[in-house]
Amino acid sequence: MRAIRTAGPCTVVIFGASGDLTKRKLVPALYRLVQQQLVPAEFAIVGQARTPMADEAFRDRMKQAVAEFSEDRRVDADVWRSFAQGLYYLPSDIGNAGDYRKLSDLLDRIDRERGTAGNRLFYLSVAPRFYAEAVAQLGRAGLTRPKAGSWVRVIIEKPFGSDLASAQRLNVDIHEWLDESQIYRIDHYLGKETVQNLLALRFANGIFEPLWNRQYIDHVRVTNAESVGVEGRGGYYETAGVMRDMIQNHVFQVVSLVAMEPPAHLDSESVRDEKIKVMESARPFTVARVDAECVRGQYGSGSILGKPVPGYREEDGVARDSTTETFALLTMYFDNWRWAGVPFYLRSGKRMPKRVTEIAIQFRAAPYQLFGATVMGEVAPNQLVIRIQPDEGITLRFAAKVPGQVTHIRDVNMDFRYGSSFGVQLAEAYERLLLDCILGDSTLYARRDMTERGWEIVMPILERWAQTKQDVQFPNYEAGTWGPQAAHDLLAAAGRNWGRA
Ligand code: BG6
């Protein structure tokens, strides 16, 4: 199916326009949308931040950002001209009501000058403590209510809360001014092509779904590894840790797509209904389960690709005796008909040997082995590996006879690679997600119930780990390795292993 997706007129207001995300991701993504003519000429962007700056200076900065951070590292003069004409800057303070009146006047002016038709997308790329405040101020200034025939939407960046109570409070606060259809909670993993392909793999093919259950699958392993450390964000990371930063949001989003039932339709509510349904069936983490089925870790110094790197406790902004986890492993069970008894092992960590996110579906062994053990020496049960990033693709492992007079069987791989099959560069997640929001499609955004459910699941682990933090022996893995020994032992005790990522 190929759907042409060209958006209607609108103005995108970026709160926090002097920040990193704006220059690295948002403006390059919006530029690409203009370049591909996926947004019409009736399009504008307003950058909001506290620093005083004229429109021209903001345009110059953003041009540099596009040159530095866009995929092809260059700016097309014609595209830039039309992009820059619609680029405005408003110095203002998130907490100052008067500034929202200025914003309202500016948006009305832009509607008149550029024909943006009163359609507004507010992107909150500010510190999380300002989310509720910004929405309330927009509301009081009348900016959350769409004018007749137009729309108003708000994108909220992560982190969405720092625990269950704060996420619930934030939801209540923003719902005072917005209804759910106007709220777009972003999770950039859902914008990744390969994550979206999970739906196509499972539901556009006839051969996988019949096997996609406890009859045929032994277990599922999800690896989300980064070779980078905290990259100057030690202060933030100290308040987060990998459970809050990656697992509760990104990893759970990916897992819910792997584990959910087929939706009735592909519209946003049907898909999100199935995702929440499977997460509702996640087995609660009791204290005993946290102790026996979860592992936490923190990296010490080590080396990545032959280069020495400092330990987490030596990073800027990190306490010398920090107990924040930079690695976590969770064993999840979905107590439902499809998955009863099938463990999902999820691991995520920083400073691992390489950047890789993949899902390994490990099938059961053949029910009866006709070939003798000597013939089958090097054969492992079938495995389907979905590589989310980098080297995006899918590999199916199966056994084949080695050519020759002596029967000998070993594993071979059947490989699909995005790069060679389609010969295109995959779009940046933010490009897709921004366009979806402008089009009013929230399928790839987190719904209220999912944000809260994610927190609900991890809270008992966070609480148990907080209570027992004096017991941890951190650091417990060397930078450049695959996490603490306990993460390997846990699978080994069940006769399994992490395989080769
Ligand atoms: C962000 C986290 O949400 O995702 C970072 O805050 C992490 O700590 C990043 O590095 C990883 O994203 P990606 O797309 O590079 O896998």
Side-chain angles (χ1 to χ4, degrees), residues 25 157-159 187-189 192 224-226 228-231 233 236-237 240-242 244-246 249-250 350 355-357 388-389 428-430:
K25 300 285 184 192
E157 256 300 331
K158 63 157 288 204
D187 187 302
H188 78 280
Y189 267 61
K192 294 181 191 278
N224 170 252
E226 296 186 276
V228 294
V230 288
E231 304 220 281
R233 296 192 306 155
Y236 150 74
Y237 205 84
V242 75
R244 292 184 163 88
D245 189 47
M246 297 294 301
N249 42 23
H250 305 319
K350 294 214 181 267
R355 176 175 186 245
V356 58
T357 299
I388 303 293
Q389 66 186 19
E428 253 291 325
Y430 279 92

Side-chain angles (χ1 to χ4, degrees), residues 197-266:
N197 191 45
L198 283 170
L199 287 179
L201 176 81
R202 292 191 56 197
F203 306 128
N205 293 296
I207 61 168
F208 298 116
E209 207 47 30
L211 306 180
W212 213 259
N213 57 55
R214 64 188 302 278
Q215 312 292 352
Y216 298 99
I217 294 178
D218 179 72
H219 70 275
V220 175
R221 301 185 304 272
V222 178
T223 293
N224 170 252
E226 296 186 276
S227 55
V228 294
V230 288
E231 304 220 281
R233 296 192 306 155
Y236 150 74
Y237 205 84
E238 279 285 88
T239 66
V242 75
M243 193 70 98
R244 292 184 163 88
D245 189 47
M246 297 294 301
I247 291 187
Q248 166 275 139
N249 42 23
H250 305 319
V251 177
F252 279 2
Q253 288 290 346
V254 172
V255 168
S256 66
L257 289 170
V258 174
M260 73 185 216
E261 294 299 314
H265 307 282
L266 276 181

Side-chain angles (χ1 to χ4, degrees), residues 11 13 45-47 55 88-91 99-113 116 120:
T11 304
V13 181
I45 300 166
V46 177
D55 287 343
Y88 301 78
Y89 181 77
L90 182 72
D99 285 347
Y100 289 79
R101 284 193 290 277
K102 284 191 210 148
L103 175 62
S104 177
D105 291 346
L106 174 62
L107 290 172
D108 288 341
R109 196 186 100 207
I110 293 175
D111 283 341
R112 288 193 302 275
E113 284 176 3
T116 39
R120 278 127 202 213

Side-chain angles (χ1 to χ4, degrees), residues 250-326:
H250 305 319
V251 177
F252 279 2
Q253 288 290 346
V254 172
V255 168
S256 66
L257 289 170
V258 174
M260 73 185 216
E261 294 299 314
H265 307 282
L266 276 181
D267 62 275
S268 64
E269 293 313 309
S270 307
V271 172
R272 299 192 301 178
D273 284 349
E274 293 306 334
K275 290 171 63 182
I276 187 71
K277 194 170 97 193
V278 74
M279 294 311 271
E280 290 293 349
S281 74
R283 189 180 298 172
F285 281 98
T286 55
V287 166
R289 285 198 62 214
V290 176
D291 292 350
E293 298 173 16
C294 303
V295 174
R296 60 184 142 166
Q298 186 193 78
Y299 63 86
S301 57
S303 75
I304 307 250
L305 290 173
K307 233 185 91 213
V309 295
Y312 177 68
R313 289 178 175 177
E314 282 118 53
E315 305 267 11
D316 281 346
V318 172
R320 295 299 157 242
D321 57 353
S322 170
T323 52
T324 303
E325 83 287 351
T326 61

Side-chain angles (χ1 to χ4, degrees), residues 141-172:
L143 286 166
T144 49
R145 269 193 317 271
K147 297 180 183 157
S150 55
W151 51 260
V152 172
R153 299 179 189 131
V154 179
I155 297 184
I156 301 186
E157 256 300 331
K158 63 157 288 204
F160 196 88
S162 55
D163 55 18
L164 178 60
S166 56
Q168 285 170 329
R169 199 173 328 114
L170 181 54
N171 274 325
V172 168

